Amino acid sequence: MNVLVVDDDVRVAGVNAAYVAKVPGFHVAGQAHTGAEALRLVEESASGDTAIDLVLLDHYLPDRTGLDVVRLLRERGHQTDVIMVTAARDVATVQAAMRHGALQYLVKPFTFGGLRAKLEAYANLRRTLDSGGEAEQAEVDRIFGALSATPEPALPKGHSPSTAELVRRAMMAADGPLSAQELADRTGLSRQTAQRYLKLLERSGRVRLSLRYGDTGRPEHRYAWAKSGGAAD
């Protein structure tokens, strides 16, 4: 998905663009530092071969506000998705962003994990919407809650970010609940390590624990990815 990064601060725009480029499936289509430049780039992309899918939009721009940019995009017929990325914290601005059609609102300062959570949730939302068809109430609830993910705290001492990412991706790709041994088989980790990271994800709300009782009567712990709840790393 093609992303336009808009921020009046050139350095901040560069940092945000670098963050976006690190998230699989996202491509930085350009950077803009004024509202007029952002509008021009969206319009040019719409008439070209590579349309902009998402705008990461600052509110405080030198020529107009981010809310003005969103309003003008809609008035000109552009349905490009928008996530506000700004230091504006007043409720009136947040409410206006929602009314103008911004999908999400990320308050500065934020971490890479915070932005990645929003982008991954946005990707899940796009996949759901692009699949078409009809939606039951549970699916509608999931669509409307798809962008509610927030970043989880830093990993505890002794936990590896790369291992956490490996486990996270394996759980997201699973068709159903997994046991610690099944996760270990899929990732090449030991069962003890898989269990440790599953417990971490369970505490942060990213996976849900269920019990399955076999012939022995001893319950087997099984974990499923909580798609619409909890926090992302």
Side-chain angles (χ1 to χ4, degrees):
M1 282 166 281
N2 296 306
V3 181
L4 174 64
V5 177
V6 183
D7 199 291
D8 67 315
D9 188 316
V10 175
R11 182 186 61 82
V12 172
V15 171
N16 291 349
Y19 280 171
V20 171
K22 291 172 62 177
V23 181
F26 288 87
H27 167 72
V28 179
Q31 298 180 38
H33 311 297
T34 67
E37 187 179 7
L39 290 166
R40 177 179 60 81
L41 290 174
V42 170
E43 291 184 338
E44 289 179 354
S45 75
S47 60
D49 297 329
T50 308
I52 291 172
D53 300 295
L54 176 67
V55 179
L56 296 185
L57 182 60
D58 189 17
H59 180 58
Y60 298 118
L61 300 172
D63 55 343
R64 51 173 54 91
T65 68
L67 293 180
D68 289 335
V69 173
V70 180
R71 177 177 55 79
L72 288 169
L73 284 173
R74 301 301 179 244
E75 288 180 357
R76 297 177 185 182
H78 299 293
Q79 300 304 314
T80 306
D81 293 322
V82 175
I83 295 179
M84 299 293 292
V85 180
T86 177
R89 298 168 179 262
D90 59 288
V91 174
T93 301
V94 176
Q95 185 180 48
M98 294 173 59
R99 288 176 174 173
H100 282 73
L103 285 178
Q104 188 51 278
Y105 201 102
L106 186 60
V107 178
K108 296 178 180 178
F110 55 86
T111 64
F112 168 62
L115 179 58
R116 184 179 68 181
K118 301 300 183 190
L119 293 179
E120 291 180 342
Y122 172 72
N124 288 334
L125 175 64
R126 281 289 300 269
R127 282 192 290 268
T128 299
L129 296 177
D130 290 346
S131 65
E134 297 183 350
E136 300 295 336
Q137 184 62 52
E139 184 72 2
V140 172
D141 291 341
R142 189 170 74 83
I143 291 171
F144 273 87
L147 289 167
S148 63
T150 54
E152 70 183 25
L155 289 173
K157 185 177 180 180
H159 288 74
S160 163
S162 59
T163 302
E165 179 69 7
L166 176 65
V167 170
R168 187 180 70 88
R169 290 188 178 278
M171 292 301 299
M172 290 182 69
D175 294 330
L178 299 177
S179 67
Q181 184 59 58
E182 289 169 337
L183 176 63
D185 294 340
R186 293 187 180 206
T187 58
L189 300 172
S190 69
R191 183 188 180 284
Q192 291 76 12
T193 298
Q195 183 72 55
R196 188 156 54 97
Y197 281 84
L198 284 170
K199 288 293 185 183
L200 179 64
L201 287 172
E202 181 196 357
R203 288 196 298 271
S204 68
R206 294 308 280 160
V207 301
R208 294 194 178 99
L209 171 65
S210 61
L211 300 179
R212 186 174 72 178
Y213 290 86
D215 296 336
T216 63
R218 182 178 180 180
E220 179 186 42
H221 289 202
R222 300 185 66 79
Y223 301 84
W225 187 253
K227 294 182 180 180
S228 61
D233 58 345

